[in-house]
Amino acid sequence: MRTGSLRKAVEVQVAADAVEKLVDAGVDTVLLATVDVQGRLKGKEHDAQTLLSRLRSGPLSPEMCGYVLGTDLGMTPPGDGPFSWQSGFGDVALLPDMENARVLPWLSGTALVLADPVSGGRPHPLAPSTVLTEQQQALADLGLVPAVGIETEFVLYEGTARDAAASGWRGLRPATWDNRDYALDQPPRVREFGRRLRRVLAAAGMPVEAVKGEGAPGQLEVTFPYGEAVAACEQHVLFKHAAKVIATEHSLIASFMAAPSTGIGSGMHLHVSLEGLDGPALAADPAAGIELSELGGHAVAGLLTVLPEVAPLWAPYVNSYKRFADHSFAPARLAWGRDNRTCAVRVVGHGPSLRLEVRLPGADANPMLALAAVVAGIRHGIEAKLTPPPAVGGDAYRRLDAPLVPRSLEEALGRFETSALAGELLGEPAVAHLARVARLDLDHHAARVTDAEVECGLIQA
Ligand code: GLU
Ligand code: MG
């Protein structure tokens, strides 16, 4: 008991010293935030000096309305479950990582402290970070540690969100009017946006690998260096925050919708390699070559088996499924191949850098949940020693023998809710929780009449 309170006092001291350093460096605002189901930062702004005084007089026990862990995009709570009206909307305790406060160079005088939701002194079982950490732990029990590189696309539109809303979200103008894949002659506003984004992320200690023009009007792609799974996901959440803030500064809107308009798709490809006790575990010859090891084959088979069972983790919205179109570069068939961008799983790299690029998740997915699905798939494949189907060379969209990627949230959710495998790998409470949140989006759109329906039916029906 005495040791416990002594440790707490030391921790508070360390945290206070950390905040004092921030104040000395000119920080006046501290954001205390956690990550919601949608992968957004949610929290409160604190005056740095007041926070410091509070820490000097004792430990900090922040709380937040627990429903941030259970709403849809528009903050609608579900009809039942732990974050519904029946719950009374109580608070959830947060465990802030005060020592790892980081300055956010894209906001003046502001630092961020990330906090993990806790319940009964343990990580909250339904927090996205917990869902991922549990999967990672299960893989670690097999002696394997993933390294993760995330690659995300998004579309920049001209103007402000207020103007877009005022025009009923119609007539949106992408920041470029043509396909600028790999282009190095972007219009000045887009180039300046990319430059500032790279610079602030580097200044925050999260340098990106590259920013590139992508294959749709106004679309960019950002690639991140490899890192530890949770850290890579946290950085991605921060990057998205930065991208939106900086876009607004440049009178642009950054959209991470998976299908922001018909025929346009933004993906969040997850590159995953595995380190075993004896080194890289995916390659048959860890020194060179592109052949998968036996374990690598199991991992691929596990991904193709599990990912369609848990699709709401990597394609959470009605819109997410409109991305999976033939010849769009987003996958439409559950196939794998070597350096084959038409497949859902692309094996890429050589020897020690051999990795699995999972191309299914959209830019709209929470990276923690999407990665949890991927890690669960890899683990299942290895544990069950699954054998992958033959690798696909050439156009996987034409491989009618390969199963289709789920075509709608309704189909995906039906499968997820009743999947024994999903329950076994993620736990029934997490499946029920994530299904409830996904159903909110499904219900939201079910009764809405869209422009496309009117276009087809108004006169002809
Ligand atoms: N835009 C494609 C997707 O939605 C990917 C394009 C690419 O190969 O980078 O996944
Ligand atoms: Mg791309």
Side-chain angles (χ1 to χ4, degrees), residues 151-153 181-182 212-215 219-223 265-267 269 329 341 357 359:
E151 172 188 326
T152 288
E153 298 162 345
D181 205 6
Y182 289 100
K212 90 175 243 299
E214 247 308 330
Q219 196 175 37
L220 294 179
E221 178 195 274
V222 178
T223 39
S266 288
H269 302 172
F329 286 101
R341 285 187 167 84
E357 181 192 19
R359 297 171 63 84

Side-chain angles (χ1 to χ4, degrees), residues 64-260:
M64 193 185 290
C65 179
Y67 99 135
V68 294
L69 295 179
T71 70
D72 70 359
L73 278 171
M75 303 308 287
T76 305
D80 57 5
F83 306 113
S84 65
W85 289 96
Q86 284 92 327
S87 73
F89 295 122
D91 275 344
V92 67
L94 296 173
L95 187 67
D97 187 2
M98 296 298 298
E99 291 158 54
N100 288 325
R102 55 184 119 199
V103 174
L104 301 184
W106 56 92
L107 295 176
S108 55
T110 302
L112 172 81
V113 173
L114 274 176
D116 282 325
V118 285
S119 161
R122 300 174 58 79
H124 195 294
L126 301 179
S129 52
T130 315
V131 175
L132 172 57
T133 313
E134 279 176 359
Q135 292 308 317
Q136 239 192 318
Q137 187 52 56
L139 195 62
D141 292 344
L142 301 180
L144 294 166
V145 177
V148 179
I150 305 182
E151 172 188 326
T152 288
E153 298 162 345
F154 56 99
V155 175
L156 288 174
Y157 293 96
E158 287 179 354
T160 65
R162 179 171 286 279
D163 290 344
S167 58
W169 310 102
R170 290 195 177 85
L172 290 171
R173 279 161 54 106
T176 61
W177 47 92
D178 52 358
N179 176 335
R180 294 275 168 136
D181 205 6
Y182 289 100
L184 295 172
D185 56 351
Q186 297 280 15
R189 186 143 50 128
V190 174
R191 212 177 47 238
E192 274 312 308
F193 164 87
R195 180 163 173 257
R196 172 137 159 83
L197 183 63
R198 277 189 290 102
R199 288 167 66 106
V200 296
L201 292 173
M206 314 185 300
V208 303
E209 217 167 71
V211 175
K212 90 175 243 299
E214 247 308 330
Q219 196 175 37
L220 294 179
E221 178 195 274
V222 178
T223 39
F224 295 86
Y226 266 75
E228 187 275 328
V230 176
C233 291
E234 284 179 357
Q235 290 192 6
H236 193 269
V237 170
L238 265 63
F239 141 74
K240 232 165 134 172
H241 186 265
K244 287 182 182 242
V245 170
I246 293 167
T248 305
E249 280 173 10
H250 288 75
S251 297
L252 294 165
I253 300 167
S255 174
F256 290 82
M257 281 179 75

